Amino acid sequence: MRTMLDHVSRPALAAAVLLLAGAAAPAAAQAEEPFPPATPQSVGLSAEALEALADEVTSYIDREMAVGAELLVIKDRRTVLHEAFGWRDREAEVPMERDTLFNIRSMTKPVTGAAAQTLIDDGILALDDRVADYLPGFDNEASGQITIEQLLTHTSGLPLTTVQSTDQYDSLQAMASATGEGGPEFEPGSKFWYSDAGTDTLGAVVEQASGMPLADYVGERLLGPLGMDDSYYSGDPDDPRLARTASLYVGQVGEWTRFWGPEAEPFYPYAWGSQSLYATPEDYARFLAMWLDEGRAGEQEVLSPEAVARMLTPATTMGSLGSDAPSPTLFPDLHVYQGQMALMLVFGEPFDGEPPPDAEPVILGYSGSDGTIAWAWPARDLMILYFTQSRGGASPIRLEAEIQRLLLEPSSGPVAELPAEYGDLVGVYTADFGPFRAEPFEILWRDGQLALDIPSQFIFPLDPVGDEERWALRGAPAELDFVRDEAGVVGGLRLHQGGNIFDGPTGGPEREPEVALQPADVEPYLGWYREDATGREIEVLLQDGRLALRIPETPEPLDLFPPDDDGIWRLRMSQVVGIEFLEEDGEVGAYVARGPGGESTFSRFAPASATDGE
């Protein structure tokens, strides 16, 4: 039941609750080593399977699918695997070490959600409260009815982001106020739409309701009691933990650019609700363990069991970033849902609206866009955390398939040997078409069947189609066959997708040195564009010899590959996104961006600063 206190007095109540609860002191039961080491056999796991899982991560580094990584496996609250791979900073030749700190990006969201739940537990905040009761910027016709629950479930209608640069606003309150003034993009409560802006708003509500800065409140109510002493919010350039923080890389397989390092200015100027928390894998495992223990950390209750149940009850199917398309997973027969700022995987067909009563989460967790991910299996008392700082890579989700294959459903009995008639199909081919730039496609014999390994994506098992030498990619709307010469020698593969046929010759790719673009090469494309559907403004500019997009979602411009034969420029960090500039009479008036979520048109415009004085 809600307290009858008005909103003005709630910050004072929050401070009193903290003082009485003694929340700043870590729980006595939180040992310095919360997950002591144990042998895999002692907890019923295969040492060989864990070694194979570590070998898989090693292959990601060797194949330049990630710059560095840390892998932690905890079973029955015992650490059975904890290894570091590759580089913490490649240019400075600093190797990755265990207990490195990572920018966990969106994995901050469950922490912000848990902070809000503590205020709900204390009677200071309620799910049906209007955000406008806390933030004046939401007190308008468009945003006035958005509720706390809608922020928690990503159903507020607010956009993915309102931020065009990390220093755009001088405080979280200013950021949230601008979001409220901009209003939702669709009717609040009508559907799921992943929203950083909504979670930043939730963080601002936590500040107002608690009367404390977000970082301070989270530290006292969550990080301290959980013993997450290594975790910190960005903003303090003198924080000694910066020395153990991994540098951030952006790019793709074989091409990683150092984007940020701990010697630079803090990535975020203050704590955000949607991101900005840095943590080690072990620290984040403490947070997951709190979920598994119904809100307890040792003898201390951090969240009530009711709060944990609110967070972990499936509320809505989860769409992909900036899209209504379902969020992907490689765990078979599971679908991804959001609860109240928590991600979970559930058996069965996707449902809309009210979930069925038997929709119990099989896996809990969250991921971050710089390459961090964590999974927890409540029924197995198993946690696996895989952290990288290689933004744009697919290794976190690729690892899902290996976890399933090696740990969850290991094969039993002997594996069939490679049939002689398939022997000449196995090998490396070069894909230089569509979203792939000189990428090695490898045909494997794996677990008794052929498979196609696409490094920037996944490993696709191949299912035979008819009696011909043709194969369907399991889980993808594509097929492939092989090209043979008159002597029957395999000279390449052909990928059939969407009515198109793409050729990939045998042999690994040979990358040619890239020629820097000159201003005269790209002058027609440079300038500002506005998305027709949302009004979002994007700048196209030349940066270090590459055409790039300055977009709201990232603090730095994103480079594009030079156009392919069809005139499509592709994002280097995500080649599935293509940009086509529309020209008429030699003038570029717009561009179309196409990706997995559909397409959107951006029309050229002249910003006010460009016309001043005319």
Side-chain angles (χ1 to χ4, degrees):
M1 180 181 297
R2 284 188 58 177
T3 175
M4 297 300 292
L5 296 170
D6 61 44
H7 297 296
V8 175
S9 62
R10 286 185 178 185
L13 175 62
V17 168
L18 281 172
L19 196 61
L20 291 172
Q30 287 294 307
E32 292 185 4
E33 192 173 24
F35 310 112
T39 63
Q41 295 86 342
S42 69
V43 294
L45 293 180
S46 163
E48 292 76 14
L50 289 174
E51 183 178 357
L53 193 66
D55 288 343
E56 178 72 13
V57 177
T58 297
S59 76
Y60 297 160
I61 307 303
D62 292 344
R63 298 168 66 187
E64 296 187 78
M65 297 164 66
V67 176
E70 186 172 345
L71 176 64
L72 175 62
V73 179
I74 299 170
K75 178 73 168 74
D76 298 341
R77 311 306 166 90
R78 299 290 187 268
T79 298
V80 293
L81 176 65
H82 193 184
E83 293 189 17
F85 310 81
W87 301 104
R88 176 187 293 175
D89 189 301
R90 185 183 58 190
E91 284 70 18
E93 297 186 349
V94 178
M96 186 68 73
E97 296 179 356
R98 292 189 301 179
D99 300 320
T100 288
L101 282 139
F102 296 79
N103 183 349
I104 62 173
R105 290 278 190 171
S106 284
M107 292 172 73
T108 306
K109 290 181 171 70
V111 178
T112 303
Q117 297 290 346
T118 65
L119 292 166
I120 295 172
D121 280 345
D122 296 340
I124 297 168
L125 202 61
L127 291 174
D128 59 356
D129 281 350
R130 298 185 318 134
V131 176
D133 292 334
Y134 300 89
L135 305 178
F138 277 74
D139 193 9
N140 57 60
E141 183 176 355
S143 301
Q145 298 308 310
I146 294 174
T147 67
I148 302 302
E149 185 171 15
Q150 289 168 349
L151 296 181
L152 283 163
T153 56
H154 291 278
T155 57
S156 65
L158 293 173
L160 173 61
T161 184
T162 60
V163 177
Q164 298 188 23
S165 65
T166 56
D167 60 356
Q168 182 176 352
Y169 304 103
D170 59 10
S171 70
L172 185 60
Q173 295 299 316
M175 183 194 300
S177 179
T179 297
E181 292 164 2
E185 293 183 335
F186 56 84
E187 182 66 25
S190 62
K191 70 172 184 176
F192 175 92
W193 188 258
Y194 196 81
S195 176
D196 283 356
T199 318
D200 290 326
T201 297
L202 184 66
V205 170
V206 169
E207 288 190 337
Q208 287 294 320
S210 68
M212 300 173 65
L214 180 62
D216 292 348
Y217 185 77
V218 170
E220 292 199 22
R221 289 302 296 265
L222 294 170
L223 304 185
L226 291 172
M228 295 173 65
D229 299 329
D230 274 336
S231 301
Y232 72 93
Y233 282 93
S234 176
D236 181 2
D238 298 320
D239 194 308
R241 289 167 290 193
L242 276 170
R244 292 167 43 218
T245 301
S247 297
L248 171 61
Y249 291 82
V250 174
Q252 59 163 356
V253 176
E255 185 175 319
W256 297 103
T257 299
R258 190 176 186 272
F259 190 70
W260 177 88
E263 79 289 345
E265 289 293 317
F267 199 80
Y268 309 91
Y270 45 82
W272 296 11
S274 65
Q275 51 197 300
S276 76
L277 187 63
Y278 287 73
T280 64
E282 185 175 284
D283 259 17
Y284 208 82
R286 292 174 185 249
F287 182 83
L288 293 180
M290 181 269 293
W291 270 352
L292 299 182
D293 292 335
E294 296 187 309
R296 303 197 71 82
E299 298 301 316
Q300 183 171 354
E301 183 177 275
V302 179
L303 289 181
S304 70
E306 293 77 16
V308 174
R310 288 192 296 267
M311 294 190 77
L312 301 183
T313 297
T316 178
T317 53
M318 181 170 173
S320 297
L321 191 69
S323 167
D324 289 322
S327 183
T329 178
L330 296 186
F331 291 117
D333 304 320
L334 296 179
H335 301 278
V336 187
Y337 298 88
Q338 276 271 346
Q340 291 186 12
M341 213 59 74
L343 183 150
M344 58 210 70
L345 282 79
V346 178
F347 275 123
E349 291 301 314
F351 53 80
D352 295 316
E354 282 294 315
D358 58 347
E360 291 292 329
V362 178
I363 306 174
L364 312 171
Y366 225 88
S367 62
S369 58
D370 283 346
T372 56
I373 193 165
W375 307 271
W377 289 258
R380 295 174 180 262
D381 198 2
L382 173 67
M383 295 183 283
I384 301 178
L385 299 97
Y386 171 71
F387 283 18
T388 83
Q389 293 286 259
S390 300
R391 185 179 181 87
S395 65
I397 195 168
R398 282 177 66 102
L399 197 62
E400 291 187 343
E402 302 311 308
I403 292 170
Q404 181 73 23
R405 184 175 71 92
L406 295 170
L407 297 180
L408 304 184
E409 291 187 3
S411 59
S412 58
V415 177
E417 294 185 359
L418 174 66
E421 62 267 29
Y422 296 162
D424 58 352
L425 304 181
V426 172
V428 178
Y429 303 76
T430 294
D432 201 4
F433 50 77
F436 307 107
R437 295 295 180 105
E439 184 166 345
F441 278 23
E442 186 173 2
I443 299 294
L444 311 169
W445 181 252
R446 174 184 164 96
D447 296 334
Q449 68 180 124
L450 289 176
L452 172 63
D453 185 353
I454 302 179
S456 63
Q457 297 182 10
F458 318 123
I459 297 177
F460 298 92
L462 298 178
D463 298 317
V465 177
D467 297 329
E468 300 180 359
E469 199 174 67
R470 190 178 177 101
W471 310 82
L473 279 65
R474 190 182 305 168
E479 297 181 355
L480 63 81
D481 61 6
F482 296 88
V483 180
R484 295 181 181 272
D485 61 19
E486 293 181 355
V489 176
V490 175
L493 60 74
R494 291 183 297 200
L495 186 71
H496 303 255
Q497 186 172 27
N500 298 310
I501 301 176
F502 304 100
D503 293 309
T506 56
E510 295 182 5
R511 298 182 183 272
E512 297 182 359
E514 188 172 328
V515 178
L517 297 174
Q518 301 301 315
D521 300 329
V522 296
E523 193 278 331
Y525 311 122
L526 304 180
W528 285 89
Y529 298 76
R530 181 180 290 122
E531 188 172 17
D532 293 354
T534 67
R536 183 175 56 159
E537 297 178 357
I538 307 292
E539 183 184 10
V540 178
L541 68 157
L542 184 64
Q543 175 178 265
D544 299 329
R546 295 174 172 178
L547 199 65
L549 304 181
R550 190 190 305 276
I551 67 176
E553 288 84 353
T554 62
E556 296 292 336
L558 300 180
D559 293 343
L560 299 171
F561 276 114
D564 58 21
D565 293 340
D566 296 320
I568 306 299
W569 302 71
R570 295 193 178 274
L571 281 182
R572 291 175 182 269
M573 68 171 292
S574 180
Q575 294 184 53
V576 296
V577 178
I579 304 295
E580 180 182 7
F581 290 95
L582 307 180
E583 298 186 42
E584 185 174 349
D585 299 328
E587 297 289 331
V588 175
Y591 73 77
V592 178
R594 299 185 179 90
E599 67 176 51
S600 187
T601 300
F602 293 75
S603 298
R604 195 183 196 112
F605 77 99
S609 59
T611 57
D612 288 347
E614 291 184 0

